[in-house]
Amino acid sequence: MNGAAEHSRLPFARPNVLDLAPLYEVLRREAPITPVTTPAGDPAWLVTRFDEVRDLLSDKRLGRSHPEPERASRITTAAVQEGPSGNYATEEADHTRMRRLLTPAFSARRMVMLSDHVRQLVDGCVDRLLAERAVAPDGVVDLHAGLAFPVPVAVICRLLGVPESDREHFASLSERMANYAIGDDAERAREEFNDYMSTLAEAKRARPGEDVISDLVRAQSADADFDHSEMIRLCVGLLFAGHETTVNRIGLGTLFLLTRPEQWQALVADPAGRVNATVEEIMRLGAPGDLGLLRYAHTDVDVAGVTIRCGDAVILSVNSANRDAAVYTDAETFDPDRPERNHLGFGHGPHFCIGASLARTELRVVFAALAERLPGLRLAKDVDDLPMRTTLTGGVSVLPVTW
């Protein structure tokens, strides 16, 4: 991986929040595994084609840890997925324990039980948006602040046992932690987030509740191999991922639907019948963030004519894989009726998103409710004029709408 200075540098500029850089299409066709320079200035391999991304996501020769972390390529100056994580010697065992601990809390059955609560939250948000629009001088309201942000936050707070009154605090920490444009402050934010979570975990230790953080505190007390710092890192990760990703998908999904009025009208005409397929297409085509999932090779790996050496950083572009024309008909078209149902929006293999059922539940309730209650919904600003967030998870920070 020498000569990385001449390689393409991530992130590639994209035309707007819905479209990817055209370079991805060229790379899928001509160089599906290509050397790049990361935003932090280090070398990495970028994988862009569906088959290779899917296969490498489940390949045990790649991991999140690194045999020599201090020598590993850094991806960004953010404090999330910026470099190796976990213990190289125990990564697989640690991951297996984490899945075992968390699977009951995120089971599909529990998510069905949560769906009534989600519907109440969404209806409350829509009620407030209706009241807000009635007094707004231009009739415009912000769907991000009024719905896309508060609903996933309230749901994950309830599930984890985090006080919802702290939402502005941990949302601000998340924003700073995932921002690769601010350097050292991202690391400070991670330390503050760890301190916040440590305080919360100790409160649960004294007075446990029926929630995920209490479960993890109990498990950590009973298992000598499960150290405190690992538990705190896991809790921070759950709170971060549990709201950031779904907030973004609500925003992106709304933009896809409202920039394609025929798809919005089809959903309005049959919310219950069309919402599941609509959500899957939002998960396929919605492309938050401009990088990908980070892995490190734990041994030499030969794939698609390229040898990835032990210790090399590998960035798996799920965004690009989900638009692979070899897998999807009219891959760049938002089409809930498409015959292809598979996508990598929740990852694949052993690290398949543990919150997939939760995210699907939230997204289905949100888009069905919007179609039923605000059928005349439309954007109040052009997509190209919406500012994109400079965080790993991307998305928009405002979503002006009217009806």
Side-chain angles (χ1 to χ4, degrees):
M1 293 181 68
N2 297 328
E6 302 137 37
H7 300 143
S8 300
R9 190 177 185 119
L10 289 171
F12 305 148
R14 56 198 290 182
N16 59 51
V17 75
L18 296 183
D19 297 317
L20 291 189
L23 180 56
Y24 281 106
E25 196 268 326
V26 178
L27 290 174
R28 280 195 301 269
R29 203 172 56 243
E30 297 178 6
I33 300 181
T34 192
V36 291
T37 301
T38 72
D42 286 346
W45 295 101
L46 177 69
V47 186
T48 52
R49 210 159 55 183
F50 184 94
D51 287 350
E52 286 82 3
V53 170
R54 183 195 55 207
D55 292 350
L56 290 173
L57 279 170
S58 56
D59 194 322
K60 292 196 169 181
R61 294 174 297 174
L62 272 64
R64 290 177 172 177
S65 62
H66 192 283
E68 300 175 88
E70 63 290 342
R71 296 184 62 186
S73 278
R74 311 302 288 180
I75 304 306
T76 70
T77 53
V80 183
Q81 268 221 94
E82 78 290 3
S85 60
N87 183 316
Y88 182 73
T90 62
E91 177 179 358
E92 201 169 335
D94 293 342
H95 182 251
T96 302
R97 176 181 57 225
M98 184 270 289
R99 298 295 286 208
R100 191 182 66 243
L101 285 172
L102 293 177
T103 297
F106 288 92
S107 69
R109 191 178 60 83
R110 277 194 72 173
M111 294 313 117
V112 170
M113 290 162 60
L114 252 182
S115 60
D116 284 347
H117 172 59
V118 177
R119 180 70 205 227
Q120 288 167 2
L121 286 168
V122 172
D123 279 337
C125 285
V126 174
D127 290 343
R128 285 187 287 279
L129 285 168
L130 286 162
E132 203 181 313
R133 184 193 175 281
V135 296
D138 53 1
V140 173
V141 294
D142 180 6
L143 197 77
H144 174 81
L147 176 80
F149 174 71
V151 170
V153 166
V155 174
I156 201 68
C157 283
R158 176 166 172 156
L159 199 63
L160 297 186
V162 174
E164 205 187 328
S165 54
D166 291 347
R167 73 182 199 181
E168 299 302 330
H169 179 52
F170 69 70
S172 155
L173 291 174
S174 296
E175 179 92 15
R176 287 166 53 207
M177 199 165 78
N179 193 328
Y180 53 81
I182 55 174
D184 293 347
D185 186 56
E187 201 52 57
R188 279 196 296 275
R190 174 158 59 184
E191 288 165 16
E192 289 171 43
F193 212 145
N194 286 349
D195 291 346
Y196 167 76
M197 196 54 79
S198 295
T199 303
L200 188 57
E202 290 317 304
K204 301 280 183 192
R205 205 183 294 279
R207 295 187 62 189
E210 288 293 313
D211 56 68
V212 172
I213 293 177
S214 295
D215 293 347
L216 290 173
V217 167
R218 274 191 288 268
Q220 190 263 324
S221 301
D223 183 348
D225 291 331
F226 188 15
D227 69 54
H228 185 266
S229 62
E230 188 193 339
M231 178 195 72
I232 296 302
R233 190 170 66 243
L234 181 54
C235 291
V236 167
L238 286 169
L239 183 51
F240 174 85
H243 81 278
E244 270 281 341
T245 49
T246 312
V247 169
N248 273 335
R249 298 288 182 177
I250 294 172
L252 293 171
T254 303
L255 289 171
F256 273 117
L257 287 162
L258 298 188
T259 52
R260 291 151 181 81
E262 72 290 353
Q263 293 293 357
W264 175 245
Q265 290 310 320
L267 182 63
V268 165
D270 182 14
R274 289 188 64 83
V275 75
N276 288 6
T278 299
V279 164
E280 294 312 307
E281 186 68 341
I282 289 166
M283 287 305 306
R284 180 186 77 88
L285 211 56
D290 292 315
L291 298 174
L293 299 175
L294 170 63
R295 298 289 186 269
Y296 292 93
H298 286 184
T299 181
D300 288 1
V301 180
D302 290 314
V303 58
V306 169
T307 300
I308 298 170
R309 297 288 177 202
C310 181
D312 284 358
V314 182
I315 297 172
L316 303 169
S317 177
V318 168
N319 291 351
S320 173
N322 277 338
R323 295 172 183 232
D324 189 336
V327 177
Y328 303 102
T329 327
D330 298 324
E332 297 283 345
T333 304
F334 182 83
D335 177 16
D337 295 314
R338 67 174 50 258
E340 308 92 0
R341 283 277 168 259
N342 57 336
H343 61 75
L344 300 175
F346 290 116
H348 180 72
H351 287 274
F352 181 81
C353 174
I354 201 160
S357 289
L358 176 62
R360 283 184 165 120
T361 298
E362 292 180 56
L363 293 169
R364 288 166 183 171
V365 172
V366 163
F367 287 108
L370 285 175
E372 286 162 14
R373 297 197 55 194
L374 300 175
L377 192 64
R378 63 180 193 275
L379 288 179
K381 201 172 190 178
D382 195 84
V383 171
D384 293 337
D385 296 332
L386 292 173
M388 285 190 267
R389 296 165 72 214
T390 55
T391 63
L392 281 179
T393 47
V396 292
S397 46
V398 290
L399 189 48
V401 296
T402 188
W403 54 86

